[in-house]
Structure formats: C-alpha cells, structure tokens
Amino acid sequence: MAERNQNPPYKRIATEEAWMPEEILNLYRKEIREKNIGEPGFHSLWGFYSSDNEIALAQNRRIVSLGEQRIADMDAAGIDIAVLALSSPGVQIFDPITAHSLAVRANDELAEGIARHPDRFTGLAAFSPLDEVNAGKELERGVTKLGLKGGILNSHTFGTYLDDERYWGIFETAEALGVPIYLHPNTPSPQMLEPFLSRGLDAAVYGFSCETGLHALRLLVSGLFDRFPKLQIVLGHTGEALPFWLYRIDFMHTRLSRSNRYAGAKPLQRKASEYLRENFYYTSSGVGDPKPIMYVQDVIGADRVMYAMDYPWQYVPEETAVLDNMPVGPDVLKAFYEDNARRVFNIK
C-alpha cells in the first residue's frame, strides 16, 4: 500500500472542496418537503442527503464546517489548504432575487470562516447566474472586498446554460478581474435527466460529467473565448472526460462548423482543442487514479492540472498517499499539488 510523504517538498492544495451554510441546507430540506421547485435532479440528490440516513448525516456534518471538523479531516488526509466553494446546486434552484441575497450572505460567511483560518482555507464567490444585473457585481465584491479567488458556477440553472450571450457579463467581469470561474457539476437538467435517473446514473457516477462537459462545450462553441480570450474556466474530475476526446471534438466541430449545418455552431478563431488547452484548467477531484491524471497532464499540459479531493462528497484520506507516488517528476508533482493552484487562485 502506498505511503503518504510525511515531509513533502510541496503543500497539498485541494481545489474543489464543497461547503454549505446551514441556512441554505435548511432551505434545501424545506424544498424537499414542500416540492415547490420543478427540479427532479435536485430532488433525487438532496432527497437522499436531506434524510437521516448515516451517509447523509456524516455528509452534512462535514459540509457545513468551517472549523474543527473540516480541519481535522484535512489533517487526516494530509491536505494543507482547501479552496472552498458553495456546494451544488448552490443558490441556483432559487429565483434570482432570493438567489442573489443568499449568495451575498453565503459569501460573507465563507469570508469570515477563511479569516478565522487564513492558513488553511481560501474560497470562491457564489452568485446568481441568471441575475444579469447582480451576478458580476457579486463576483467583483467577493474578489475585491472579501478576498475570494474566483467564482463558482454549478452548471445549468433551471436548464439554462450560460452560452447565452445575455449572461456573459459574469465572464466579462471574471476576465477583467483576472480570476477563474469553476464550472462545477449539477445534476442533469430536466431536459436530459430521465435516462440517467431511472438507473441511478444522474449524479456523480455519470450524469454530473455528461451535464458539465456539455456546458463547457456549449461555452466553447458559442464563441465565448473569442470574445474573452483571457477568460479561464476550471473543470473538475479530470475535465469531465473532454481531454480524452480532443481529436474527435476537433475533427467533428471543424467539419460541422464549416458546413453551416447548425446556426449555433459557427467557425471559431482557433481549434476547439486549443481553447481546451489554453482557456481551461483541470482538477483531479474525485479521481484518485494516477493514470487519467497523468493522461491529462500529457495531452493538456502539466501546468494546467491541479489536485482536488471533492470533499466531503468523496472523502478518501488515503488518496494523497496514492498520488504522492505518481510516477512523474518532482517538478510535475509540485505543480500538481501546489504551484498551479497558487497561480490560478492567487494563493500567497
């Protein structure tokens, strides 16, 4: 069995670690009881995690922690710093006015928790994606006033994807601030959910990756990065499988975009794979196997791949021991655990 390096020449920074304030968790429980919102994916996921089964109780005890519980778990896993973000679906199941007010309070609470443990925590700002007026303003406040390091977007909002240009103000703000947007999974939208749900494939086992990879490709194909060429998006789970499809994405998108087959898929300024290499960063969240991580390091670049555990959704304390022993050079390992995260999230 692999052993963790007890004195590594790097800090281990975990870059996709979920947090949720009690206020939002209680609102989720209320929604599960009352069923006011037509989001079947949410009800499937949080119906389980709002119950009193052993897994849910342990999960929720961890997810609300900004103190002793989380730090003890980090210590047990050998993690030095956690980049915290509002867990999926965040504020995105609420109407824009409610969602904005919840995001403001959540960001304030997260910043207070970070201030209590500045050597262990940093974080990303939540926002209401469909609030065209306030989304960018709250990201800017989170970064410039609260010291947060970017934004968290839990993929679709009521089946709406942000490739629609009316919502691009958030990306314009992120580019201007020089901070990334972490595109985190949500359960599949109502339009695509049923084939996943009936076999229990709607969440992390497969549905998350399909839904979030789709959102990432919609952003790319929309021309978002031609408009905002310095914008950076972070994808977890070794890129939601997209790095494994680079050749086919390039071949097929080039052909169909030149054919005028689809009004919404016009030629871009660069190949699709170039955007995936230059406008995206990737984390290992939920993938404790060195081989796919090393593949992404190879085809994308070791300077664009970061460590993440996906706590508390997938808390595996021995994971860092396995990844400490990845057969890569010491510079690549240090970049994976520390250097890339410090650069991307401006961690001093």
Side-chain angles (χ1 to χ4, degrees), residues 105-305:
R105 294 198 293 277
N107 292 335
D108 287 343
E109 185 175 336
L110 178 56
E112 291 167 3
I114 293 168
R116 290 192 295 270
H117 304 282
D119 58 332
R120 304 305 301 272
F121 301 151
T122 189
L124 305 177
F127 53 87
S128 175
L130 304 191
D131 188 333
E132 300 167 48
V133 174
N134 290 311
K137 290 180 180 179
E138 184 55 21
L139 176 62
E140 183 175 16
R141 187 186 77 94
V143 172
T144 63
K145 304 297 185 184
L146 302 180
L148 301 175
K149 305 300 184 178
I152 180 69
L153 170 62
N154 289 298
S155 201
H156 76 89
T157 305
F158 298 119
T160 297
Y161 296 87
L162 296 199
D163 55 312
D164 187 328
E165 292 189 28
R166 66 186 291 186
Y167 304 118
W168 283 12
I170 191 67
F171 300 119
E172 182 177 17
T173 300
E175 184 188 54
L177 291 168
V179 299
I181 298 291
Y182 203 120
L183 181 57
H184 182 272
N186 197 350
T187 51
S189 63
Q191 303 99 301
M192 65 185 294
L193 178 67
E194 177 50 36
F196 295 91
L197 185 61
S198 59
R199 290 294 185 182
L201 300 174
D202 50 307
V205 64
Y206 194 54
F208 280 174
S209 190
C210 294
E211 199 282 328
T212 312
L214 170 67
H215 199 160
L217 282 180
R218 287 183 67 100
L219 294 175
L220 190 161
V221 171
S222 72
L224 175 71
F225 301 105
D226 291 341
R227 178 85 63 86
F228 306 112
K230 296 180 180 179
L231 175 66
Q232 299 295 316
I233 303 291
V234 183
L235 288 173
H237 318 102
T238 58
E240 314 297 358
L242 296 182
F244 302 88
W245 286 81
L246 295 179
Y247 178 88
R248 189 161 175 79
I249 291 169
D250 271 347
F251 183 91
M252 290 299 178
H253 177 261
T254 298
R255 185 164 73 176
L256 70 87
S257 65
R258 290 174 177 172
S259 72
N260 291 318
R261 181 177 170 187
Y262 298 97
K266 299 298 185 182
L268 301 172
Q269 294 176 8
R270 292 176 277 161
K271 292 195 300 183
S273 62
E274 293 180 55
Y275 300 97
L276 289 168
R277 289 188 173 101
E278 296 167 12
N279 293 97
F280 288 83
Y281 284 90
Y282 303 82
T283 81
S284 65
S285 56
V287 180
D289 181 353
K291 289 183 180 179
I293 297 169
M294 292 166 62
Y295 180 82
V296 180
Q297 288 172 330
D298 182 36
V299 300
I300 297 293
D303 62 339
R304 286 192 167 262
V305 184

Side-chain angles (χ1 to χ4, degrees), residues 26-58:
N26 287 334
L27 287 172
Y28 284 5
R29 291 171 175 143
K30 182 175 184 288
E31 168 56 23
I32 293 300
R33 293 193 304 270
E34 298 179 1
K35 295 183 172 58
N36 295 313
I37 299 168
E39 274 287 339
F42 168 82
H43 283 275
S44 173
L45 180 66
W46 281 100
F48 178 81
Y49 282 101
S50 294
S51 64
D52 59 359
N53 67 78
E54 184 178 348
I55 294 174
L57 291 173

